[in-house]
Amino acid sequence: ALNYSMLALHVYSGMNDSLGQRTCYNNLSKIYRSQHKYSQAKWFTLQSNHISRLKHDVPNIIASLIELSAIKSDIKDYTLAMSDLNEALKIAVKNKDPRNESAVQVGYAELYRHGKNYDKAAVAIKRHEFLDDSVRKIEESKLAMISKKDSVQIKKQDSVIIKKKAYTSSFKRGSKLASARHTVSL
């Protein structure tokens, strides 16, 4: 995976494909983190974060900050990990993005677990669950509104079809009567 990700990174770099580069950086970071090579993992995550910031890609900025925090937590640098999560939370709140805010809360919970602060971890998980529930409720209400609009639109379409049928059937009757009158008058 490491070799193919590096090859892909070189291809994407040659094509100036920043999305492909960022994806490769994320994959390389995961590979190095799984091998406990934290300095390399951190470097690739920082590269991903840099590209996301250049592109103003807020969700990926937040994701890279969460990943960076997890790496720093693995090397027991809890204060720097906390600062990355604080920045991610600030960005998520500023952009009114409860889904990413929820992901940041999961990052806080993991950080607190690493630091053996289980009470704060439980609070972070409760906040995460609350945010997820609110996102789910918002999505359900949007779906209900869409289905309501669709049913109103279907009713309108049905009434238009009925009116068309009534109009065309009366038009057909009228034309038959006219031809019958025309025949009788001859």
Side-chain angles (χ1 to χ4, degrees), residues 1 5 22-32 44:
S5 294
R22 187 183 64 214
T23 303
C24 287
Y25 288 139
N26 289 337
N27 292 338
L28 288 166
S29 174
K30 288 177 186 175
I31 293 166
Y32 281 117
F44 284 114

Side-chain angles (χ1 to χ4, degrees), residues 67-86:
E67 181 65 21
L68 194 58
S69 170
I71 293 168
K72 289 176 181 178
S73 177
D74 288 344
I75 58 176
K76 297 182 183 2
D77 195 350
Y78 300 124
T79 54
L80 288 177
M82 182 65 75
S83 67
D84 290 333
L85 286 175
N86 289 340

